[in-house]
Amino acid sequence: ELQPWIVQFNSLMDRLQAAIEQLDAFNADVAHEMRTPIAALMGHIEVALSRERPAGELRETMAMSLEELQQLSSLVDDMLFLSHADRGARARRGAPRSLRALAEKVVEYHELTFEDAAVSASVTGDAQAAVDDALIQRALSNLLSNAARYADKGSAVVVRIEPAHAGSDTARLVVENRGTTIEAQQLPRLFDRFFRADRARSACQQHHGLGLAIVAAVARMHGGRTLAESAGGVTRIGFELCCECTAPPPRRPEALAELPVATAPERSMQPAA
């Protein structure tokens, strides 16, 4: 008779232990991410103060320091946003509108990014949903930025929009690109804060690793969930959202088993984290 209670209690302790370990790791990650720009900022100032310097050199030092401060400010803003989402903040929904129209605005915003990455971009499908326009644009901006960064040159980035299931009140937004396949064991961690699938890439140093965590937060705020799949050189990352409901969503990423593989080579709106 006591065994079910013992099992439940042990399960509770295991969840608490996992939460504590996650919090410890998170604190360490935050300290690491903030230490780098702070150390760079201190170094710039110490060098500038080490001797008399002409005004031009001082302006250059101030410009570098401002860049580091902007990175710190962006990190703090993203952390505050994620904190609000974790405390159960919900999206402010407007009237139902075309998700394709929102996606096309974000694609247009990233036009120069795609040109620099030598990839094209397009939007397929559509769905009507009552959403927070700014949050959806922010999530799509992060997804498109990641896709452009890791897509093969000359390939296409595709934003796919469709109802998640026939007759359901959910919609799916997925960004697809062709490039290096992400290992299966890394897929569930893509939406973790500060996680980078490949820390050796030089571009990683320019980003906090919060972009996909923000995507997951936006999905939760719309009663949705994250989605991730990578196989055969095609990676699809996105989210489902509940068009009108407010029920809390599951948080674990799921594979996009039913999505077809494309044959074609894919605050208000803000730059990706």
Side-chain angles (χ1 to χ4, degrees):
E1 292 178 356
L2 291 176
Q3 189 62 35
W5 295 93
I6 294 172
V7 172
Q8 290 183 18
F9 181 80
N10 288 340
S11 177
L12 171 62
M13 292 297 102
D14 290 341
R15 291 196 300 271
L16 288 175
Q17 180 64 27
I20 292 172
E21 292 175 355
Q22 184 180 22
L23 181 60
D24 288 342
F26 173 69
N27 290 336
D29 288 336
V30 171
H32 174 75
E33 293 295 330
M34 296 189 72
R35 181 176 59 183
T36 300
I38 289 175
L41 184 60
M42 292 175 62
H44 297 328
I45 296 174
E46 287 173 353
V47 170
L49 294 176
S50 62
R51 62 180 175 83
E52 292 293 332
R53 297 181 181 275
E57 287 188 20
L58 291 176
R59 281 196 296 269
E60 183 178 352
T61 299
M62 292 177 66
M64 290 187 294
S65 299
L66 178 60
E67 183 178 350
E68 298 294 342
L69 287 171
Q70 288 172 338
Q71 291 182 10
L72 275 174
S73 177
S74 176
L75 175 60
V76 171
D77 288 343
D78 289 342
M79 293 302 303
L80 287 174
F81 173 80
L82 292 172
S83 177
H84 289 314
D86 288 345
R87 292 201 302 268
R90 309 301 294 174
R92 297 179 180 178
R93 297 175 182 266
R97 61 167 303 159
S98 167
L99 295 179
R100 183 188 182 107
L102 285 177
E104 287 175 343
K105 288 183 179 180
V106 184
V107 169
E108 182 180 359
Y109 177 80
H110 283 275
E111 183 176 355
L112 292 178
T113 301
F114 295 131
E115 289 182 3
D116 291 341
V119 299
S120 60
S122 62
V123 181
T124 65
D126 195 7
Q128 296 290 320
V131 298
D132 185 314
D133 292 3
L135 291 181
I136 295 300
Q137 287 177 320
R138 184 174 187 181
L140 281 174
S141 180
N142 287 355
L143 289 170
L144 287 170
S145 179
N146 282 349
R149 194 178 309 134
Y150 299 121
D152 291 337
K153 292 187 180 298
S155 63
V157 174
V158 182
V159 181
R160 300 188 180 278
I161 304 172
E162 59 185 8
H165 305 286
S168 70
D169 63 348
T170 58
R172 173 178 290 170
L173 297 88
V174 175
V175 175
E176 174 184 296
N177 70 278
R178 292 181 174 272
T180 303
T181 301
I182 301 174
E183 296 179 5
Q185 62 268 29
Q186 293 179 336
L187 287 175
R189 298 194 58 200
L190 288 180
F191 300 93
D192 291 351
R193 300 175 189 183
F194 303 114
F195 177 76
R196 298 183 180 98
D198 187 355
R199 291 182 177 269
R201 302 190 190 199
S202 59
C204 287
Q205 303 304 318
Q206 304 172 8
H207 305 274
H208 322 310
L210 292 177
L212 292 183
I214 290 174
V215 172
V218 171
R220 293 197 304 273
M221 294 171 73
H222 284 83
R225 60 178 179 175
T226 52
L227 307 159
E229 179 188 64
S230 186
V234 177
T235 297
R236 304 182 185 93
I237 301 176
F239 57 96
E240 287 182 3
L241 57 86
C242 189
C243 297
E244 296 181 357
C245 71
T246 57
R251 298 183 61 173
R252 182 179 180 82
E254 297 190 4
L256 307 176
E258 61 270 37
L259 282 180
V261 175
T263 55
E266 158 176 283
R267 285 172 174 168
S268 60
M269 192 191 310
Q270 300 180 10

